[in-house]
Amino acid sequence: MNDPGDPGGEANTTTPSRILVVSSGENRDVVTSAMSHWSMESVCSSGIQEALSVLPETSPFLIFCEERLSDGTYKDLLREIGKSSRTRLVVISPNAELDENYNEAIALGAFDMIASPSRRSDVQWIAIRAMHEDARRTASKRRPRITPPKESEPASDEAPRISKGTATG
């Protein structure tokens, strides 16, 4: 199995993927239970500040975060991880069905939003989607880039040239 938390994207069967769960209640238990069956290590924190302090050493593949906690919101965590990060943040919201809440979270860089109290099937579906997206990203970076002939060269019936660079993703 590929370790989505491994920056090199190489196969790694000895280290489980890490999930950060930022919750102090029932959702924490649902997420950790759902991920434990897939050999994914769950690191839990009960607040935003604690999550921020463990984030650098944890390097989680996925973060499941309550919409609001006593010391902040998921937005504080999103600002810290940034949009360029490979880490995906999932918001756990009691108002997940409201389009305006969902659209705001996605616009800010969240991977998805699920309802609170969370259900095991929702957590697992999110993890599957994230793993598939990661696999697609990794595969696209390994494909050779096809370059069309330069305008000064006459077109031919030959196949396009393949450069040795990596594809842009």
Side-chain angles (χ1 to χ4, degrees):
M1 177 174 149
N2 283 343
D3 176 7
D6 178 6
E10 298 300 319
N12 185 345
T13 57
T14 59
T15 306
S17 299
R18 287 190 197 105
I19 307 297
L20 177 59
V21 185
V22 189
S23 172
S24 58
E26 173 186 348
N27 290 318
R28 174 191 289 205
D29 297 335
V30 172
V31 172
T32 56
S33 172
M35 296 295 93
S36 69
H37 290 285
W38 291 350
S39 298
M40 290 189 180
E41 176 187 353
S42 296
V43 176
C44 299
S45 73
S46 57
I48 299 297
Q49 295 309 311
E50 183 182 358
L52 290 172
S53 71
V54 300
L55 195 58
E57 70 228 27
T58 306
S59 300
F61 168 61
L62 269 173
I63 299 173
F64 287 88
C65 183
E66 295 279 346
E67 185 174 25
R68 295 188 191 289
L69 292 144
S70 61
D71 64 345
T73 71
Y74 75 93
K75 296 172 190 176
D76 301 320
L77 201 50
L78 270 176
R79 275 191 289 274
E80 186 64 31
I81 63 173
K83 289 186 179 186
S84 63
S85 174
R86 292 185 63 211
T87 301
R88 293 158 182 88
L89 187 135
V90 178
V91 180
I92 303 173
S93 171
N95 301 311
E97 74 283 350
L98 297 177
D99 286 342
E100 110 185 14
N101 289 6
Y102 176 83
N103 292 338
E104 178 184 25
I106 298 304
L108 291 171
F111 181 67
D112 209 336
M113 180 179 273
I114 60 174
S116 178
S118 56
R119 295 184 320 205
R120 181 183 185 91
S121 59
D122 290 341
V123 170
Q124 290 176 330
W125 177 244
I126 292 291
I128 289 168
R129 282 187 43 232
M131 285 185 277
H132 281 220
E133 181 181 286
D134 194 61
R136 276 195 305 270
R137 277 188 195 169
T138 302
S140 70
K141 289 179 182 177
R142 292 184 183 153
R143 279 189 217 133
R145 182 184 315 186
I146 298 176
T147 57
K150 296 178 184 172
E151 288 184 31
S152 60
E153 296 176 2
S156 70
D157 292 335
E158 295 177 24
R161 288 186 230 139
I162 298 176
S163 71
K164 293 184 182 180
T166 57
T168 55

